[in-house]
Amino acid sequence: MSLKHHHRGLELSASKSFVSKKWTLFLCIGFFCAGILFSDRMWPEPEANVVSREASDERLRLVSDDCDSSKKGLKRESKDILGEVYKSPDAIQTLDKTISNLETELAAARAAQESIMNGSPVSDDFKLPETVTKRKYLMVVGVNTAFSSRKRRDSVRATWMPPGEDRKKLEEEKGIVMRFVIGHSSTPGGILDRAIQAEERKHGDFLRLEHVEGYLELSAKTKAYFTTAFAMWDADFYVKVDDDVHVNIATLGAELARYRMKPRVYIGCMKSGPVLAQKGVRYHEPEYWKFGEEGNKYFRHATGQLYAISRELASYISINQNVLHKYVNEDVSLGSWFLGLDVEHVDDRRLCCGTTDCEWKAQAGNTCVASFDWSCSGICRSADRMKDVHRRCGEGPNALMAASF
């Protein structure tokens, strides 16, 4: 009996073991199939990420190569530029002037915009600077004149200022602009202004300023002239000359052209006269106390008969016109505006020859730029004597158009 039960237990145990093995096999097969399905669904994404990563690595390598090649190119260009700088002694000065021109153009545009925004008055001829397309000139020559100086102007037109079409040809071919400079009377539209308008219609050689004429307002007129001329013409130099001075324009152009590479240059006959504190005397200085003890002298500045400034200095005056102090003497005012600036002062005595020595200097081949009588601060009786001075001291009828600057 016990043996029988023992045999049946062994059979049941064997049967249970057999079933377990079959189920184990089925389960393994099921898990294997499920694993294949799971793998088929999960593996494509990592594969795509690998491809994307490889593409990113390739792009980074290409960018890196471009950067390396750009660096090499910049190094080569830098070496080329430095090589050119070392080759040419004027290259650094050219670069300096180019940078200065860009800076002054930007500053001038800002100043013009600010002036318009503030509602400041401008003359009828005023135009905003168009530095990109505007014609480049060598110089603008402003001849300072007054309402009562009609005969002086006619003497200048008959001698050293070309008339009409010749003057326009001078602008186009030589880059030299010449205008008589005058403001308005204290009664706008009055007889004095109408006389100038009639003269302008006949000759077309005036630059009208937004300025009220007056002897004690010459500093303000000088400031207005440089500001207006700078806005209207893009020139290397801006010249101011009185209408009782004789000028050889070709000689003046050749002299100024020597300083084209100088960004900030102030040219004239430099002087340092006494500060006159006594009232009633000519050239009395009301602000004499600013110059120290009585008997002191002014700082060096160009005499007022003729002087020239470079483009950057004209721009400086234009930009800072509202804060530049005006002394009673306009040549002192101009000199004071450049104090503290990095400006080269050029003392050129050919800009202030006497009417007695300009003749023999011309004969010796050392033609004067400007001639006048010191005793009269201009040519004495210039309306009557200008032709004689021009005959003796002039540079010749064909010198101007034959000149090359």
Side-chain angles (χ1 to χ4, degrees):
M1 185 75 181
S2 60
L3 288 174
K4 187 175 180 180
H5 284 294
H6 177 70
H7 179 72
R8 186 175 295 173
L10 288 174
E11 287 180 354
L12 288 171
S13 177
S15 177
K16 288 180 181 178
S17 174
F18 176 76
V19 172
S20 299
K21 287 180 180 180
K22 286 196 299 183
W23 279 107
T24 300
L25 179 62
F26 287 140
L27 288 173
C28 287
I29 293 172
F31 282 132
F32 176 75
C33 293
I36 291 174
L37 292 173
F38 179 78
S39 299
D40 289 341
R41 293 178 63 88
M42 296 299 296
W43 273 105
E45 290 185 356
E47 186 176 345
N49 288 338
V50 170
V51 173
S52 177
R53 192 184 306 113
E54 288 178 353
S56 298
D57 292 341
E58 180 66 17
R59 285 195 296 269
L60 287 173
R61 185 181 64 78
L62 292 174
V63 171
S64 178
D65 291 342
D66 289 341
C67 289
D68 291 339
S69 61
S70 297
K71 289 179 180 177
K72 292 177 181 178
L74 286 174
K75 287 180 179 178
R76 286 195 300 271
E77 291 178 5
S78 299
K79 289 180 180 179
D80 293 341
I81 292 172
L82 289 174
E84 291 299 322
V85 168
Y86 292 136
K87 286 179 184 178
S88 173
D90 295 330
I92 295 177
Q93 291 182 338
T94 302
L95 183 60
D96 184 30
K97 186 173 182 180
T98 300
I99 294 172
S100 297
N101 286 342
L102 292 174
E103 290 175 343
T104 53
E105 286 172 6
L106 177 60
R110 287 174 176 169
Q113 182 183 19
E114 190 174 314
S115 179
I116 293 174
M117 293 288 289
N118 292 335
S120 300
V122 292
S123 64
D124 294 337
D125 295 330
F126 180 85
K127 295 179 181 179
L128 285 176
E130 299 175 1
T131 54
V132 177
T133 59
K134 190 190 292 187
R135 161 73 190 273
K136 185 74 175 180
Y137 296 91
L138 170 64
M139 62 181 178
V140 177
V141 180
V143 185
N144 183 44
T145 191
F147 290 112
S148 60
S149 299
R150 173 63 187 266
K151 290 184 178 180
R152 286 186 179 182
R153 290 191 291 273
D154 287 340
S155 70
V156 170
R157 293 184 181 110
T159 53
W160 57 268
M161 178 187 281
E165 293 301 321
D166 290 339
R167 192 184 67 258
K168 294 179 181 179
K169 186 178 179 181
L170 183 65
E171 294 180 14
E172 296 172 359
E173 297 185 7
K174 302 299 180 180
I176 299 176
V177 178
M178 303 177 68
R179 296 288 189 277
F180 288 106
V181 180
I182 195 168
H184 298 274
S185 67
S186 56
T187 55
I191 187 172
L192 297 177
D193 289 315
R194 292 199 301 271
I196 293 297
Q197 291 169 1
E199 197 175 339
E200 165 66 10
R201 285 193 294 270
K202 180 178 180 180
H203 299 284
D205 54 6
F206 280 93
L207 172 61
R208 301 299 301 273
L209 305 177
E210 286 297 332
H211 165 78
V212 178
E213 288 289 324
Y215 179 76
L216 296 179
E217 296 298 328
L218 287 178
S219 292
K221 184 177 182 179
T222 300
K223 188 193 299 185
Y225 160 61
F226 283 123
T227 299
T228 306
F230 176 77
M232 294 183 65
W233 296 286
D234 183 11
D236 290 324
F237 298 96
Y238 298 85
V239 181
K240 176 264 177 182
V241 59
D242 290 338
D243 61 4
D244 56 354
V245 174
H246 179 268
V247 183
N248 286 314
I249 296 296
T251 307
L252 173 62
E255 191 69 11
L256 294 184
R258 295 172 50 202
Y259 300 98
R260 264 179 163 163
M261 304 308 298
K262 306 283 187 179
R264 293 170 299 277
V265 62
Y266 171 35
I267 307 170
C269 289
M270 299 295 165
K271 66 175 184 177
S272 180
V275 179
L276 302 178
Q278 184 179 353
K279 291 184 179 180
V281 300
R282 191 179 187 187
Y283 305 127
H284 165 64
E285 178 56 73
E287 298 179 87
Y288 62 89
W289 59 273
K290 290 185 177 180
F291 298 92
E293 301 298 326
E294 187 173 345
N296 282 356
K297 292 186 176 182
Y298 287 111
F299 42 79
R300 288 281 174 184
H301 61 278
T303 186
Q305 284 81 4
L306 185 149
Y307 46 72
I309 62 175
S310 59
R311 182 182 186 277
E312 189 168 334
L313 294 182
S315 172
Y316 174 80
I317 294 173
S318 175
I319 295 167
N320 298 284
Q321 56 180 302
N322 294 327
V323 296
L324 294 177
H325 183 70
K326 301 184 296 293
Y327 290 98
V328 67
N329 298 308
E330 50 97 9
D331 52 353
V332 173
S333 293
L334 184 70
S336 72
W337 297 338
F338 302 146
L339 289 178
L341 302 183
D342 186 13
V343 175
E344 180 176 350
H345 290 59
V346 177
D347 183 16
D348 191 339
R349 310 315 290 185
R350 297 175 69 195
L351 274 63
C352 54
C353 295
T355 58
T356 56
D357 57 1
C358 61
E359 183 176 6
W360 64 263
K361 287 182 179 180
Q363 293 173 352
N366 187 26
T367 305
C368 292
V369 172
S371 303
F372 57 89
D373 300 311
W374 281 103
S375 60
C376 296
S377 297
I379 297 176
C380 299
R381 305 189 316 280
S382 65
D384 300 324
R385 295 182 56 231
M386 185 67 76
K387 286 185 178 180
D388 176 64
V389 174
H390 183 67
R391 178 183 59 80
R392 294 184 294 105
C393 305
E395 56 196 354
N398 300 319
L400 186 53
M401 297 310 298
S404 176
F405 307 109

